[in-house]
Amino acid sequence: MADEEPVRKKSCKDHPSFLYTARAPVNIAVVKYWGKRDEKLILPVNSSLSVTLNQDELCTTTTVVASPDFPCDSLWINGREQPIADAPRIQNCLFRIRDKCQLESPQRWQELKDCHLHIASKNNFPTAAGLASSASGHACLVFLLSKLFHLKCELSGLARQGSGSACRSIYGGFVVWSKGEHEDGTDSIAKQIMPSEHWPSLRILILVVNDQKKSTSSTEGMKRSVQTSELLQLRATYCVPQRMKNMEEAIIHKDFETFAELTMKESNQFHAVCQDTYPPIEPPYLSTTSHSIIQLVTAYNQYHKNTKVAYTFDAGPNAVLFLQEKDVSEMAALIQHFFPPLDTKGFIKGIPIQEIPKLSKDLLESMAMYPVPSSIKYIISTKVGNGPSMIAMDSDEHLLNEDGLPH
């Protein structure tokens, strides 16, 4: 990877094209964002805080090719062409980026003003299944276009207007998205509070329960919550401000017990808001397996008389577990025991877990659970990661060729 300046590529068309590719990470909120006070500007009802995940395990890769030979802007997502007219937030992003280029980089604008863009994007993880694919996707696009159009402005505010959570994927490590106070949203931006290397012992296990698109989108669900949930308003006013302070302190001081407790309370309250919504979000984002994972984590912490693992769930049934590196092997063994796959080969993806220990009878009995085979599809083992990065020109990771067509 490199932040090198891509050169103009002479294609079979009449004019040179510009080809850029980047990767951007997923982020998982530990203080949740749920609800907008302004739908058009995508301004949240409360601030939020997230952990950026390592891109080797979860990321969006996006390629853009700019050429005056293209008749219009075109879009491919996960290998399938999609009408860009059906993606108003992407259109809005392109409009804002081009507008900024005219004002801030007029020389570059002269090179690109007659160009249309071909954009291809793909995820290496399930899309629209509650794993923040829209966040990494929009962050990747904004970051990439800023390089293409030679912009040096603050990017999280632009990313926010594609997908709220995308503003947090502009940075690595631990990131705060301030809700802001200004009506125009200029102060509703993200900032890194600690880099990825700050807490090297922190590890993440993602338990993929369902990798299909969820029935109720986050956009639809949170809009209904804002309109009908009194709990959402109480949470935003009375709970979140103090939790933001406590969570930031826990991260700075690497206080895992406080971090874990707040993470689980936030997840619980978020899903309580979803059920307080009227009509409630059905089917619920949490599945029977999700509740079994909560039961397992709760029993495990009680057995050790210490908070060793934290769960959190976004708008979907898939669990994200935070834990210390020393506890990863034992937790992975428990998951394999109580949610046994048909075939253990490929069940754990990502960062290898070296040894799966034999579990004591006392520990297994204390869980008070029965195994439920095949209820978890697979585990993604990962860690805290960095923000977006450019892909080198000589890489084979580009999704489009120099003529702007998918490989």
Side-chain angles (χ1 to χ4, degrees):
M1 289 181 208
D3 284 334
E4 61 185 66
E5 171 67 21
V7 297
R8 298 186 188 189
K9 295 288 186 177
K10 185 68 177 177
S11 69
C12 63
K13 303 288 187 178
D14 296 331
H15 301 94
S17 60
F18 302 81
L19 186 151
Y20 284 53
T21 298
R23 295 200 307 173
V26 166
N27 74 79
I28 298 296
V30 290
V31 176
K32 301 296 187 184
Y33 152 57
W34 192 252
K36 307 179 188 75
R37 69 180 191 272
D38 187 309
E39 288 279 344
K40 185 177 179 180
L41 296 178
I42 309 188
L43 302 178
V45 297
N46 61 263
S47 298
S48 57
L49 195 154
S50 63
V51 180
T52 300
L53 305 187
N54 191 42
Q55 293 177 51
D56 289 344
E57 290 75 53
L58 295 103
C59 75
T60 295
T61 301
T62 302
T63 296
V64 62
V65 179
S67 173
D69 293 314
F70 300 153
C72 61
D73 294 331
S74 297
L75 175 68
W76 291 263
I77 296 179
N78 291 325
R80 300 182 66 178
E81 187 169 8
Q82 299 194 7
I84 203 161
D86 293 344
R89 288 187 179 180
I90 291 178
Q91 286 183 303
N92 182 45
C93 174
L94 295 178
F95 173 80
R96 289 178 179 276
I97 291 281
R98 284 167 167 149
D99 192 48
K100 274 192 171 291
C101 183
Q102 290 184 64
L103 295 173
E104 298 178 16
S105 188
Q107 185 174 347
R108 185 60 162 178
W109 178 247
Q110 291 304 310
E111 294 181 301
L112 293 173
K113 66 179 182 178
D114 296 321
C115 291
H116 283 103
L117 306 182
H118 281 196
I119 301 164
S121 183
K122 75 170 184 179
N123 301 320
N124 67 350
F125 60 95
T127 300
L131 289 176
S133 59
S134 64
S136 58
H138 285 281
C140 196
L141 180 61
V142 166
F143 175 77
L144 187 58
L145 293 177
S146 76
K147 299 297 184 182
L148 171 65
F149 285 96
H150 291 182
L151 298 181
K152 299 187 182 301
C153 59
E154 198 283 324
L155 297 180
S156 72
L158 285 170
R160 185 198 79 228
Q161 293 177 66
S163 169
S165 300
C167 70
R168 299 190 307 249
S169 280
I170 291 293
Y171 300 103
F174 303 86
V175 182
V176 164
W177 172 18
S178 299
K179 73 181 184 73
E181 302 296 336
H182 300 162
E183 288 188 9
D184 63 1
T186 51
D187 60 342
S188 184
I189 57 175
K191 66 174 184 177
Q192 183 188 76
I193 56 170
M194 282 292 170
S196 60
E197 59 271 18
H198 167 69
W199 201 342
S201 65
L202 188 65
R203 289 283 300 276
I204 300 109
L205 297 178
I206 299 171
L207 314 187
V208 179
V209 174
N210 189 333
D211 54 10
Q212 302 302 306
K213 186 175 181 179
K214 59 202 175 196
S215 299
T216 305
S217 72
S218 298
T219 299
E220 179 187 345
M222 68 173 69
K223 186 174 183 178
R224 202 191 311 166
S225 293
V226 169
Q227 292 170 344
T228 65
S229 173
E230 294 177 0
L231 178 56
L232 180 144
Q233 306 301 335
L234 289 169
R235 163 184 156 69
T237 303
Y238 296 105
C239 298
V240 173
Q242 189 60 49
R243 284 181 177 176
M244 286 290 294
K245 293 177 184 177
N246 294 346
M247 183 66 84
E248 190 166 341
E249 283 293 310
I251 290 167
I252 290 169
H253 297 292
K254 290 179 274 195
D255 175 357
F256 182 80
E257 189 150 348
T258 300
F259 170 85
E261 181 180 326
L262 286 170
T263 295
M264 291 186 283
K265 285 182 175 180
E266 271 293 298
S267 180
N268 295 345
Q269 193 174 78
F270 159 54
H271 288 280
V273 167
C274 293
Q275 287 304 290
D276 187 53
T277 298
Y278 188 82
I281 295 169
E282 294 290 346
Y285 291 130
L286 298 186
S287 67
T288 301
T289 301
S290 306
H291 286 286
S292 295
I293 294 167
I294 293 172
Q295 181 182 347
L296 180 75
V297 170
T298 303
Y300 180 73
N301 288 336
Q302 289 174 343
Y303 174 82
H304 284 287
K305 298 181 174 60
N306 185 20
T307 306
K308 295 169 78 71
V309 182
Y311 60 78
T312 189
F313 296 83
D314 282 340
N318 303 314
V320 178
L321 306 185
F322 290 94
L323 65 171
Q324 303 274 39
E325 190 167 15
K326 63 184 174 59
D327 298 315
V328 169
S329 294
E330 187 172 61
M331 178 49 61
L334 271 175
I335 294 164
Q336 283 198 172
H337 179 86
F338 287 104
F339 307 97
L342 292 176
D343 185 359
T344 56
K345 186 178 180 181
F347 182 61
I348 299 176
K349 306 176 186 296
I351 298 173
I353 299 173
Q354 298 303 331
E355 283 188 38
I356 303 297
K358 185 176 180 180
L359 300 169
S360 70
K361 183 180 178 182
D362 186 42
L363 173 59
L364 292 174
E365 288 180 350
S366 72
M367 298 297 104
M369 294 173 61
Y370 294 103
V372 184
S374 303
S375 52
I376 291 177
K377 292 177 179 283
Y378 54 90
I379 300 171
I380 302 172
S381 170
T382 187
K383 61 183 180 179
V384 186
N386 295 317
S389 56
M390 295 296 292
I391 301 295
M393 284 304 300
D394 58 358
S395 170
D396 60 1
E397 295 185 58
H398 303 290
L399 305 181
L400 300 173
N401 62 25
E402 293 162 11
D403 296 315
L405 298 175
H407 287 299

